[in-house]
Amino acid sequence: MGGLEKRVKMKKEMINYLGILLVLLVSFSIVSAVSSVDRSFDVNPVNIGEELIVTLTAVVETDDVNYVVEENIPEGVEVTGYDGFANFNGERLRWVIEGSSTTTLTYSIKSSEEGTYEFDGYYAYNDEGDVHYIGGVSELVVGTGVCNVVADCGTDGYVGSPSCGVSGTEVFQDYRTYSCDSNICNFIDDTQSIDTCGSGEMCDTGVCVTIVSDSGSSISSSSGSSSSGSSGGGSSSSSSSSSSGSGDEEILTCEENWECGEWGECNEAIDYKTRTCTDTADCGTSVNKPRVQKRCSIAGAISDNKGVILTALGVLIIAGGIIAFLLFLSRKRDFG
């Protein structure tokens, strides 16, 4: 009889232990029903006025659970869109999820003010009084010139206008290279040679131009024909014309009006100095454009104009010979 009572007592204790274990298992399943809700931003940091997506990921351990998620929106942040079943009162987004498994909640925002914004929210389940704070990323940085990849900063390439080098025969331009360092855009400008002027050319305001002599003719060996220009300074004007469809009558279309600046410093490497001339009428022609280059030294000017000088000397020699011959004839008649 004592053995039977002992077995009954052991069975009762085992039932009690199983009941306690069952209660513990149920409690654990309730506590772990919603194990976490985490926040993430698809872009962070972000530029002022740039839209981004905020994602709340709720990891649920059982399908048989109801829970609510609330997200407080910081002041200065504008909500531009959200999930269709969310409720938004202007300051807070609220989702009520019934019997759902792991869920992803999203909404979009932007900010027009630079600064660091703190996000906070909570979740609760099965009508319990306890609330749990949303984890993950809570800080959003908004600013100007921020980046996540180099492409956010810009495209590498030449910037600014070309310029002339010290030699006067090479053209340079800045090449900009972007970088994204610690989410801040930076760039470096490197001056690079983009062109070298050929024989008979020089650099003028970032462009290779043909050198012309004081007489106005081109001295470029690669030029097939010479060009002429005014040797005067200051300003000049001319008109361009075109013929009508019938007859030879010319119709005035545009009158050039050239204004020139002062002559620049002499480029001793090539013995030339330049100036800039602008057609204020913007005709697009250069019929009467003044010279924009000339020699610095007298020797150079003589070299450029030696053809004219030799011609003048020849004329003087011939004229002197004729005069001498006429004087000889006159004296011969006097003594004859």
Side-chain angles (χ1 to χ4, degrees):
M1 198 66 182
L4 180 60
E5 290 178 356
K6 189 175 181 179
R7 285 195 298 271
V8 171
K9 184 178 180 181
M10 290 179 60
K11 186 178 292 185
K12 287 181 179 180
E13 290 178 352
M14 185 175 295
I15 292 173
N16 290 334
Y17 289 142
L18 289 175
I20 293 172
L21 180 61
L22 181 61
V23 170
L24 290 174
L25 288 174
V26 171
S27 299
F28 178 77
S29 65
I30 293 176
V31 170
S32 62
V34 180
S35 62
S36 67
V37 177
D38 292 323
R39 180 190 304 102
S40 63
F41 305 103
D42 69 331
V43 179
N44 190 14
V46 66
N47 283 294
I48 292 176
E50 183 179 349
E51 191 173 76
L52 69 146
I53 303 297
V54 184
T55 301
L56 302 176
T57 303
V59 179
V60 180
E61 299 297 337
T62 175
D63 291 343
D64 188 20
V65 61
N66 300 329
Y67 60 98
V68 60
V69 177
E70 290 196 1
E71 177 83 314
N72 297 315
I73 307 302
E75 184 178 353
V77 174
E78 175 187 354
V79 175
T80 58
Y82 48 85
D83 290 334
F85 64 95
N87 179 270
F88 182 54
N89 65 0
E91 297 179 353
R92 184 179 64 251
L93 280 163
R94 189 172 192 269
W95 293 266
V96 177
I97 298 95
E98 298 180 355
S100 176
S101 57
T102 298
T103 304
T104 299
L105 310 171
T106 61
Y107 63 97
S108 57
I109 59 172
K110 66 178 181 180
S111 176
S112 58
E113 299 179 9
E114 185 174 355
T116 301
Y117 297 90
E118 292 286 342
F119 286 73
D120 68 90
Y122 72 91
Y123 61 95
Y125 49 88
N126 289 337
D127 298 326
E128 287 192 350
D130 293 338
V131 296
H132 308 271
Y133 288 100
I134 295 174
V137 182
S138 61
E139 187 176 275
L140 174 67
V141 178
V142 179
T144 56
V146 300
C147 58
N148 292 280
V149 294
V150 177
D152 294 337
C153 301
T155 303
D156 296 351
Y158 289 102
V159 296
S161 300
S163 60
C164 300
V166 177
S167 67
T169 58
E170 199 164 9
V171 184
F172 291 89
Q173 191 171 2
D174 287 339
Y175 188 88
R176 178 165 294 177
T177 303
Y178 290 94
S179 62
C180 179
D181 304 315
S182 301
N183 298 116
I184 299 297
C185 286
N186 294 300
F187 65 83
I188 297 175
D189 288 344
D190 178 34
T191 303
Q192 300 182 2
S193 174
I194 61 172
D195 193 14
T196 300
C197 300
S199 176
E201 293 183 329
M202 67 177 297
C203 179
D204 180 28
T205 61
V207 180
C208 289
V209 296
T210 302
I211 300 174
V212 296
S213 66
D214 285 347
S215 63
S217 61
S218 169
I219 64 171
S220 173
S221 60
S222 62
S223 176
S225 61
S226 63
S227 60
S228 63
S230 168
S231 60
S235 63
S236 63
S237 63
S238 69
S239 61
S240 59
S241 60
S242 61
S243 299
S244 59
S246 60
D248 296 327
E249 181 183 358
E250 291 188 344
I251 302 174
L252 185 66
T253 57
C254 185
E255 183 176 351
E256 297 177 12
N257 185 31
W258 293 97
E259 293 186 358
C260 299
E262 297 295 328
W263 289 103
E265 295 293 328
C266 180
N267 188 326
E268 296 180 359
I270 55 176
D271 193 34
Y272 269 93
K273 56 184 175 181
T274 64
R275 64 176 176 176
T276 300
C277 294
T278 305
D279 179 15
T280 59
D282 198 19
C283 293
T285 57
S286 56
V287 177
N288 199 31
K289 182 179 180 180
R291 289 184 301 110
V292 293
Q293 311 100 11
K294 72 175 182 178
R295 287 283 193 177
C296 302
S297 64
I298 296 176
I302 292 174
S303 175
D304 284 348
N305 294 278
K306 61 184 178 180
V308 176
I309 294 173
L310 290 175
T311 301
L313 287 175
V315 171
L316 289 174
I317 292 171
I318 293 172
I322 293 173
I323 293 172
F325 180 71
L326 292 175
L327 289 173
F328 173 75
L329 291 177
S330 176
R331 284 175 176 262
K332 186 175 181 182
R333 282 196 301 270
D334 291 342
F335 290 104

